[in-house]
Every structure is written in structure tokens, then in C-alpha cells.
Amino acid sequence: MARRLRPVGLGFVETAPVRLVFAREISAAPDAVFRALAEDVPGWTAWFSAVTLARPLGGGAGREIRLKGGTRFTETVLAADRPEVYAYRIDVTNAPGARAMVEEWRLAPAGTGTRVQWTFAADGTALFRFVLARARPGLGRAFRDAVTSLDRRLTRP
């Protein structure tokens, strides 16, 4: 059953009870990475294997995301500041126990490539927070695999 989450702002990334932060350097340029994140929303299914559907809503002001296993999100874009940050708040989800969630992608030049940092910030029931904290290794692997796949996609001839 889908339910509406508490509306939070971008500052929630720093204050959330659960903050999972992952980073990796890739060879693709920051602007290309930003375009893939913010402007080619349907393209997420080609490089983020957990994502089965990604489509922009409201002229790009929001997104609909579906994940393997059936989790669904309706999101509002909070920041799309080329090429440094892309962030969105989850407004509606069927994830049990969730109360508030924001995801932030920060991009910084790293030599000729990009340092990609993904922060998953969340609040929810005690059980939700416990499960999410224990999911850190799996989410870290998913992030590394996705960013590696994105880099290959963006840098192939």
C-alpha cells in the first residue's frame, strides 16, 4: 500500500536519523554524469540494475521510479544544479515503515573524471531504520555497480 511521506527539504540530507553515504571516482566528466542523472531519467534502467522503470513527471519536476522487488516511488526534484548536485525527495512509496527520504547525488571534478557521492537520507519506524542500516553493504554494492555501469555507458566510444 502506497503512502505519503513527510515532506522534507534538502537540509534533511544532513540531519536524517539514517544517512548512508557512498562515493566513487569515475572517468566520465561531471557534466555528462549530471545529464545522465537529471536529464535522461528513463536511461536509469540501462545503468542502475535495481531500477526497472524511471520516468520524469511534471516536465522534470518529479519522477516515478520502480525497483526490482516491487518498491515504487513518486519523487519531487529538490535540486538540479548543473553539474554539482541532483537531489530528490520521495513523496509517496510502498516501502513499509518509511516516513521521510531524500537522495542526493553530488558531483565534483576528479582529475579528468568525476567523484560521485550518493547520500541516502531517511527516517522511519525503528524497524525501518534498523533494516536500512543493515542494508548498507548491499546498497553500497548497488551504488558501485551502478556508477561503474554508468561510467562505461558514458565513456564507451
Side-chain angles (χ1 to χ4, degrees):
M1 178 172 131
R3 73 188 138 291
R4 182 158 294 281
L5 303 187
R6 185 173 78 242
V8 292
L10 194 53
F12 185 71
V13 168
E14 300 299 326
T15 63
V18 178
R19 294 180 66 248
L20 305 177
V21 182
F22 307 97
R24 183 171 191 105
E25 288 187 13
I26 60 174
S27 56
D31 197 60
V33 176
F34 182 86
R35 273 194 314 274
L37 291 171
E39 297 169 10
D40 184 17
V41 173
W44 281 55
T45 60
W47 57 268
F48 207 130
S49 65
V51 177
T52 61
L53 177 122
R55 68 182 181 107
L57 300 173
R63 307 170 355 140
E64 176 186 2
I65 303 293
R66 292 187 185 183
L67 304 179
K68 287 181 180 173
T71 304
R72 297 183 314 271
F73 303 111
T74 303
E75 305 167 338
T76 296
V77 174
L78 299 174
D81 302 324
R82 171 178 258 115
E84 294 91 14
V85 64
Y86 182 62
Y88 41 88
R89 172 186 65 229
I90 288 81
D91 294 317
V92 177
T93 185
N94 63 343
R99 292 187 181 141
M101 290 192 283
V102 170
E103 294 182 42
E104 178 190 69
W105 296 78
R106 286 219 169 256
L107 310 175
T112 59
T114 306
R115 180 179 188 274
V116 180
Q117 177 178 295
W118 177 51
T119 302
F120 187 91
D123 188 16
T125 63
L127 179 59
F128 175 83
R129 293 190 314 267
F130 175 82
V131 169
L132 191 55
R134 296 319 174 270
R136 176 185 290 274
L139 287 170
R141 273 189 304 282
F143 167 77
R144 284 188 306 276
D145 291 350
V147 172
T148 298
S149 179
L150 176 61
D151 193 35
R152 268 191 249 127
R153 181 177 165 89
L154 295 176
T155 58
R156 71 177 167 221

